[in-house]
Amino acid sequence: METVTATFLIPDWINEGLKTKAYERVGGVIRDFRTKQIVAMLRETVPYLTQVSTILSQFGSAASILNLGVSVIGFVVVIKRLGEIEQRLKIVQEDVNKLNLKFDLSVYANFRAALDLARDAFTMTKPENRVNMANLAINRFLEAQHIYTGYFDIALEEDIQVADEYLSSIFLTYIARVNCYLELNEISTAYLCLQEGTEFLSKCVNKYFDKVFSYLDDEEQEKFYKNYPLLLSASYITVNGVITGICGYLGYSRVSVQGVAGRMHGNLLEEVLLWVTSKKEEETVLYNPLEKLEAIIETNRRFESYQTELQAISQLGISFHDWLKLTPSTEIKPDGAEFMYIIPSKPLELQPSI
């Protein structure tokens, strides 16, 4: 049976592989760039880490509302993240309330109450009580997900400044559900929830991406254009998707994109960037749009990598609760160590489902 080793120190061969691009980090997973086999998984040792670490920033990371690994984003962390979103929204509540659908902070209070309910459920000793309370919490998480999705769609049209907060909230509703399933040892159901969430959230991220892109100024567009292969490396974003979104912003239908391309000279994306510059003078200025794009993309990659983590747990034959307990057997945690590296005895070629 395949085994894993945990260590607080990044092995030289992994560090070198990342630098030479032989390996790539996708969320909390480090994999072979060519074969896509998993060579290591990352786990934060500081659950509330919000700043980009030296190690992650070295390899193109950005701030994210999610942790590196579903095993370290439990109910307490979700409650904390939710509180941070709520505080930011309170600051801009006057602007938020100008939306057609008035924003109601009580939705966040209900979500918080559901998280408390779920957390308390798993302190109970009677299995039937645990299941009943967990199911109540899951129903509330689903309700919050639908409400936040409505807010997100409206914010994209009327107040782009807060759309990312609603999108982050949707991510958290899925994570809360997944945590309930994992605590109930329903690994397959947790995996299906992540599959569903990946498909749905990818569509949301794509819509957000297309909208925010239209707000980039000349300098940001130039930076984006130089780096877009990195930003567009996630499977849900394609150059055609970007062009289609921008052409829609400029008033062209989806079917006319090819016609627009046919009338342009030189590099199509570069031409579209110039068009956006000329058309956006009356638009609202978006604060740090590139940072927002990179943070959302990083969040989505981390969410997608949670599926990989559950696949690895299943393939390794480790229970989720034993996975949570993994720690270096002989190492003392060095001061300032932010991560633990979980390394399989041989690279994992994961099956498509569990």
Side-chain angles (χ1 to χ4, degrees), residues 85-132:
I85 292 175
E86 188 176 1
Q87 289 304 312
R88 290 194 295 269
L89 285 172
K90 283 179 179 179
I91 295 173
V92 296
Q93 187 171 12
E94 183 178 347
D95 290 334
V96 172
N97 286 339
K98 294 176 183 176
L99 301 180
N100 287 337
L101 177 61
K102 186 175 180 179
F103 173 66
D104 185 358
L105 280 173
S106 67
V107 175
Y108 278 85
N110 290 334
F111 187 15
R112 240 182 5 259
L115 287 164
D116 290 336
L117 184 67
R119 183 187 57 190
D120 293 345
F122 298 110
T123 64
M124 295 186 171
T125 55
K126 292 185 178 179
E128 62 271 23
N129 290 341
R130 291 162 60 92
V131 172
N132 290 337

Side-chain angles (χ1 to χ4, degrees), residues 7-32:
T7 177
F8 292 120
L9 302 174
I10 184 169
D12 291 339
W13 59 273
I14 291 181
N15 201 19
E16 185 64 24
L18 287 167
K19 289 179 179 178
T20 62
K21 309 299 182 184
Y23 298 147
E24 61 181 349
R25 184 189 65 82
V26 181
V29 171
I30 297 175
R31 65 188 188 185
D32 186 288

